[in-house]
C-alpha cells in the first residue's frame, strides 16, 4: 500500500500526485491520499469516480484520508487541471459540428457564419477539448475548405479534431482530408457522453 | 572481482539512448542503393526491426544486430540486457532465435579483463534461455566498451509479423512498461529509488519470447519492439509502414514505478528530445496530456516490450494471458488503430 501526503498543497498539485500514484501503482494495489484541503478532497473524489474507482474517506478534523484501489485499466489520460474547480459541474466542453453550415436558411449565409464561428472559437481563452465533425460537417476539414486552417490552428492549440469516418466514406472524401483524426461512432459517443457540456453551432 | 568494477563510470549515454537520431539515420539510408531480390521479404524500406530473407517454402531467415555501451554497473547484467535487446528484434518479427555472434568493443587498458568474460557470460546465459547458440564473435580494442549480438532467427514465411500489418479497428497492446531511460538517468543522478531501478533492470533482462509466443497464438499481424526511438518513435514507424494512424491513451500506458517522478523532477535524457524532434508534426497531443507524459512517450527504451496490433475482440484475453503467472511486465491495451489520418499518432 502506498500513501500520498498532500497536506498543505492546493489544486492541481494533489491531483497530479494522485494521478502519478495511480499510474505507478500495481493493479489492485491500495492507495491512500491525505489532504487538508476541502476543494482538493472534492476534486480528487470527482476524479476517482470518473475513473470508475471505489473510494472511502476517513476524516479526522480537517484532515481527510481517501482510500482507493487501482482497478483494471481505468486511468484516463485527462489532465488533472480539468478537475480543478470548486463546482461539481466540470467545465470542459466539446464543440459538435453537424453540418458545414451554421443554422438553416440561406446556405451561403450558413457557410459564412460557420467560418466566422470557427475563426472566433480559436480565439477563446477557454478552448474546447474536442471539435467533433459529422455528417456534412466533415467537409469543413477537407484540404480545400475555407476553415481548414482555423481547424488546424485549433489542433495546434491541443484540441482534438475528430472526424466521423463513416461520413468521410459516404461523401467519398478519403483522399481530401486536411486536418483531424478519423474516428468512429463508438469514440464519438463516448466523447459526447463524457463532455461537461456540448456546444452545437 | 565480480562486483568491483562499475561499468557506468565509463560512459555518458548508455543502452539504446546511444542510438543516432532516427531522422539522421533515415537521411543516410535513403541514399544507399536498394537490393532487389524476390526472396527479400523485409528490407530497410519499412524501417522494420530486422531483415528477412526467404530461403525456401517453409523457412525465412531473420537477420539483425544491436549493440550499445553499458546500461548498468554489473558486467554480467549488462551482457544479459544487451543480449535480450538484440534477440528482441527476432521476436518482433514473429521468429525464433537460432544463432548468435558476439560483437564486443573492449579495452583492457581501461577495464580489468575479467569484466570482458563476465559480459560474455551474461550474454550467453540469455542466448541459451532463448534456445539459441552462440557460435563466435569479434572483438575490437575500444573504450568505452560496447557489446551486443548479431542474431539469426527463423520464421515460417506465412507466420512473419512485420510492422506493416496493423489494420484499422485493431487494438494496440504493449507488453512491457515504459520508462527504462528515465530510471537509468534517475539512477545516474541519484533520483531513482533502489527498488524502482532494480525493477527496471529486471524488466530489461526479460526476453520477449513469451510475448512473441502469445502474439502468434492470437494471430497478430502487425508488431514491433520498442527501443531507442521510444514508444512514439517506434509507433510512428509502425503506423507509417502500415499506412494507418494510431490513437494512444496515455492514462493507460504501463509506466515503470518511479519513471514519472524522475521526469517530473526534470531528469530527462537527451534521447527524449531527439526522439521528439523525429516524431515532430506527425504526432498530436491533446491539451490534457502534460509535458512529463509527452517526454515519457519519447523516452528511449532499452530492451523494451513488443507493440502489437491485435483484433479488437481478442485484445483483453491476450493481455490477461500476457500478465499471467511469472510475468514481470505490465502488459496493457494502450490504444487503437485508426484509418490513415493527417497525423500518424494521436495521444490523449
Amino acid at each position: 500500500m502506498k500513501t500520498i501526503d498532500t497536506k498543505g498543497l492546493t489544486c492541481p498539485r494533489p491531483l497530479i500526485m494522485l494521478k502519478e500514484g495511480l499510474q505507478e501503482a500495481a493493479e489492485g494495489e491500495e492507495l491512500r491520499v491525505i489532504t487538508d484541503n476541502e476543494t482538493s478532497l472534492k476534486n480528487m473524489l470527482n476524479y476517482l469516480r470518473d475513473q470508475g474507482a471505489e473510494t472511502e474517506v476517513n476524516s479526522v478534523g480537517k484532515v481527510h484520508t481517501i482510500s482507493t484501489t487501482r482497478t483494471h485499466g481505468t486511468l484516463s489520460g485527462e489532465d488533472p487541471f480539468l478537475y480543478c474547480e470548486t463546482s461539481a459541474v466540470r467545465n470542459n466542453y466539446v464543440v459538435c459540428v453537424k453540418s458545414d453550415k451554421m443554422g438553416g436558411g440561406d446556405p451561403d449565409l450558413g457557410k459564412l457564419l460557420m467560418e466566422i464561428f470557427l475563426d472566433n472559437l480559436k480565439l477563446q481563452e477557454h478552448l474546447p477539448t474536442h471539435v467533433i465533425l459529422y455528417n456534412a460537417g466533415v467537409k469543413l476539414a477537407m484540404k480545400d475548405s475555407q476553415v481548414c486552417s482555423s481547424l488546424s490552428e485549433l489542433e495546434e492549440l491541443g484540441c482534438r479534431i475528430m472526424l466521423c469516418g463513416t461520413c468521410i466514406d459516404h461523401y467519398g472524401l478519403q483522399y481530401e482530408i486536411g486536418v483531424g483524426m478519423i474516428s468512429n461512432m463508438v469514440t464519438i459517443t463516448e466523447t459526447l457522453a463524457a463532455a461537461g457540456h456540448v456546444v452545437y453551432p | 572481482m565480480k562486483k568491483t568494477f562499475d561499468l557506468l563510470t565509463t560512459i555518458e549515454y548508455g543502452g539504446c539512448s546511444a542510438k543516432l537520431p532516427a531522422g539522421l539515420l533515415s537521411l543516410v539510408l535513403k541514399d544507399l542503393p536498394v537490393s532487389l531480390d524476390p526472396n527479400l521479404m523485409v528490407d530497410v524500406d519499412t524501417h522494420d526491426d530486422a531483415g528477412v530473407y526467404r530461403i525456401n517454402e517453409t523457412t525465412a531467415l531473420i537477420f539483425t544486430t544491436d549493440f550499445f555501451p553499458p546500461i548498468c554497473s554489473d558486467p554480467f547484467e549488462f551482457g544479459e540486457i544487451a543480449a535480450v535487446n538484440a534477440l528482441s528484434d527476432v521476436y518482433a518479427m514473429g521468429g525464433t532465435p537460432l544463432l548468435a555472434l558476439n560483437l564486443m568493443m573492449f579495452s583492457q587498458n581501461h577495464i580489468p579483463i575479467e569484466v570482458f568474460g563476465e559480459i560474455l557470460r551474461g550474454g550467453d546465459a540469455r542466448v541459451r534461455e532463448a534456445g539459441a547458440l552462440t557460435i563466435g564473435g569479434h572483438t575490437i580494442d575500444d573504450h568505452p566498451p560496447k557489446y551486443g549480438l548479431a542474431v539469426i532467427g527463423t520464421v515460417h514465411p506465412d507466420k512473419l509479423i512485420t510492422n506493416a500489418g496493423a489494420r484499422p479497428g485493431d487494438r494496440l497492446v504493449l507488453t512491457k512498461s515504459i520508462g527504462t531511460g528515465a530510471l537509468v538517468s534517475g539512477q545516474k543522478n541519484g533520483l531513482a529509488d533502489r527498488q524502482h531501478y532494480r525493477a527496471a533492470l529486471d524488466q530489461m533482462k526479460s526476453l520477449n519470447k513469451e510475448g512473441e509466443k502469445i502474439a502468434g497464438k492470437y494471430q497478430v499481424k502487425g508488431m514491433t519492439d520498442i527501443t531507442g526511438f521510444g514508444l512514439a518513435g517506434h509507433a510512428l514507424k509502425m503506423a507509417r509502414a502500415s499506412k494507418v494512424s494510431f490513437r494512444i491513451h496515455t492514462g493507460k500506458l504501463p509506466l515503470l514505478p518511479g519513471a514519472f517522478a524522475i521526469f517530473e523532477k526534470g531528469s530527462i535524457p537527451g534521447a527524449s528530445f531527439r526522439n521528439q524532434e523525429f516524431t515532430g508534426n506527425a504526432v498530436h497531443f491533446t491539451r490534457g496530456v502534460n509535458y512529463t507524459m509527452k517526454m515519457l512517450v519519447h523516452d528511449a527504451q532499452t530492451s523494451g516490450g513488443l507493440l502489437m496490433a491485435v483484433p479488437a475482440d481478442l485484445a483483453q484475453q491476450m493481455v490477461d494471458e500476457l500478465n499471467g503467472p511469472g510475468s514481470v511486465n505490465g502488459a496493457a491495451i494502450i490504444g487503437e488503430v485508426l484509418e490513415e489520418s493527417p497525423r500518424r499518432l494521436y495521444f490523449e
Side-chain angles (χ1 to χ4, degrees):
Chain A
M1 193 197 67
K2 193 185 274 183
T3 303
I4 301 166
D5 188 352
T6 72
K7 285 199 299 290
L9 300 173
T10 53
C11 211
R13 201 56 220 162
L15 265 164
I16 291 172
M17 290 167 73
L18 163 65
K19 193 180 167 187
E20 213 176 285
L22 278 173
Q23 200 133 24
E24 292 179 350
E27 207 164 289
E29 189 179 335
E30 201 189 325
L31 221 74
R32 281 191 189 171
V33 196
I34 309 169
T35 176
D36 52 5
N37 182 300
E38 295 291 333
T39 310
S40 283
L41 173 69
K42 204 155 80 184
N43 293 341
M44 285 195 281
L45 288 173
N46 275 339
Y47 179 74
L48 286 165
R49 198 175 309 125
D50 281 5
Q51 312 306 310
E54 304 241 340
T55 53
E56 203 187 294
V57 184
N58 259 306
S59 305
V60 181
K62 283 188 172 175
V63 178
H64 314 281
T65 306
I66 308 173
S67 305
T68 189
T69 310
R70 160 115 198 220
T71 47
H72 194 79
T74 49
L75 202 53
S76 96
E78 275 189 283
D79 196 309
F81 270 106
L82 295 177
Y83 290 83
C84 273
E85 53 213 331
T86 44
S87 122
V89 181
R90 293 186 20 214
N91 69 356
N92 67 338
Y93 71 105
V94 170
V95 170
C96 197
V97 180
K98 303 187 273 192
S99 157
D100 56 344
K101 299 170 200 74
M102 193 165 172
D106 184 346
D108 287 340
L109 176 64
K111 280 186 182 171
L112 179 68
L113 294 179
M114 185 60 87
E115 224 172 280
I116 301 170
F117 170 78
L118 289 173
D119 255 352
N120 277 292
L121 185 60
K122 70 183 188 225
L123 302 175
Q124 297 305 303
E125 195 180 329
H126 181 41
L127 291 165
T129 55
H130 298 75
V131 178
I132 299 177
L133 308 171
Y134 59 72
N135 214 316
V138 296
K139 293 179 182 172
L140 296 169
M142 298 305 120
K143 284 177 207 151
D144 60 358
S145 146
Q146 294 287 329
V147 296
C148 185
S149 61
S150 290
L151 289 170
S152 294
E153 281 173 62
L154 280 163
E155 194 177 64
E156 280 304 320
L157 292 167
C159 298
R160 172 56 41 79
I161 313 295
M162 225 179 234
L163 313 176
C164 157
T166 312
C167 313
I168 287 167
D169 290 347
H170 178 84
Y171 291 109
L173 297 170
Q174 293 87 332
Y175 303 105
E176 312 299 325
I177 304 165
V179 59
M181 177 185 95
I182 302 180
S183 191
N184 52 55
M185 206 38 86
V186 177
T187 307
I188 291 175
T189 311
E190 279 169 7
T191 308
L192 287 173
H197 61 278
V198 179
V199 172
Y200 291 93
Chain B
M1 76 109 261
K2 198 172 156 188
K3 300 294 171 226
T4 55
F5 192 84
D6 179 353
L7 279 174
L8 280 185
T9 58
T10 63
I11 47 119
E12 191 180 347
Y13 304 116
C16 289
S17 297
K19 265 193 181 189
L20 271 185
L24 188 64
L25 193 59
S26 301
L27 266 181
V28 175
L29 290 178
K30 84 175 168 43
D31 289 334
L32 282 184
V34 181
S35 310
L36 291 173
D37 183 316
N39 288 313
L40 199 52
M41 299 179 71
V42 176
D43 60 16
V44 292
D45 196 39
T46 50
H47 293 254
D48 215 322
D49 310 295
V52 183
Y53 190 88
R54 189 194 292 108
I55 52 171
N56 59 41
E57 294 288 295
T58 55
T59 311
L61 293 181
I62 302 170
F63 202 6
T64 179
T65 182
D66 224 319
F67 61 96
F68 49 61
I71 183 83
C72 61
S73 300
D74 182 72
F76 189 88
E77 269 192 326
F78 169 48
E80 287 183 281
I81 292 169
V84 167
N85 182 69
L87 291 159
S88 175
D89 287 333
V90 173
Y91 292 125
M93 307 301 294
T96 309
L98 181 67
L99 302 170
L101 296 173
N102 287 312
L103 305 176
M104 178 76 93
M105 279 153 246
F106 189 93
S107 169
Q108 59 165 319
N109 296 331
H110 295 85
I111 307 176
I113 191 71
E114 292 80 3
V115 171
F116 186 123
E118 276 299 293
I119 296 172
L120 289 186
R121 264 188 288 281
D124 192 54
R126 293 298 173 170
V127 171
R128 280 168 196 273
E129 188 191 340
L133 296 172
T134 309
I135 56 168
H138 188 71
T139 306
I140 292 280
D141 186 282
D142 189 27
H143 188 80
K146 288 118 200 147
Y147 171 67
L149 305 174
V151 187
I152 287 183
T154 58
V155 64
H156 190 291
D158 301 339
K159 300 269 169 68
L160 179 68
I161 310 178
T162 69
N163 66 358
R167 293 293 164 259
D170 286 350
R171 294 293 179 270
L172 294 169
V173 170
L174 180 65
T175 66
K176 286 187 185 177
S177 301
I178 60 171
T180 68
L183 265 301
V184 170
S185 125
Q187 166 76 6
K188 251 184 274 178
N189 298 316
L191 293 170
D193 176 283
R194 226 164 54 111
Q195 265 180 312
H196 292 167
Y197 179 61
R198 178 41 51 201
L201 290 177
D202 287 345
Q203 181 181 280
M204 287 189 273
K205 282 158 56 175
S206 141
L207 286 172
N208 279 328
K209 186 179 180 177
E210 192 62 19
E212 186 281 322
K213 203 174 103 193
I214 294 172
K217 185 173 156 189
Y218 285 89
Q219 302 144 40
V220 167
K221 297 280 184 282
M223 181 157 78
T224 192
D225 64 343
I226 306 301
T227 58
F229 303 133
L231 172 68
H234 290 280
L236 172 59
K237 283 167 178 265
M238 183 166 162
R240 264 191 194 142
S242 301
K243 300 187 170 65
V244 293
S245 293
F246 290 169
R247 177 181 180 221
I248 296 175
H249 308 269
T250 57
K252 293 187 177 156
L253 287 181
L255 297 185
L256 282 168
F260 195 97
I262 290 167
F263 266 33
E264 187 97 316
K265 289 187 184 110
S267 176
I268 303 174
S272 284
F273 298 95
R274 288 199 296 278
N275 289 336
Q276 195 182 30
E277 214 163 286
F278 167 63
T279 60
N281 262 336
V283 179
H284 185 253
F285 292 94
T286 55
R287 256 177 313 136
V289 181
N290 68 21
Y291 180 76
T292 303
M293 187 54 86
K294 278 183 199 168
M295 297 318 285
L296 270 174
V297 304
H298 288 100
D299 182 36
Q301 302 301 289
T302 297
S303 188
L306 298 168
L307 177 65
M308 316 172 179
V310 188
D313 52 335
L314 300 175
Q316 190 54 54
Q317 197 187 336
M318 181 179 177
V319 165
D320 292 343
E321 194 165 331
L322 283 164
N323 287 332
S327 91
V328 295
N329 320 310
I333 302 175
I334 63 163
E336 67 236 29
V337 182
L338 310 171
E339 301 280 346
E340 187 168 32
S341 298
R343 304 205 197 213
R344 289 291 176 194
L345 303 179
Y346 293 90
F347 284 95
E348 53 196 56

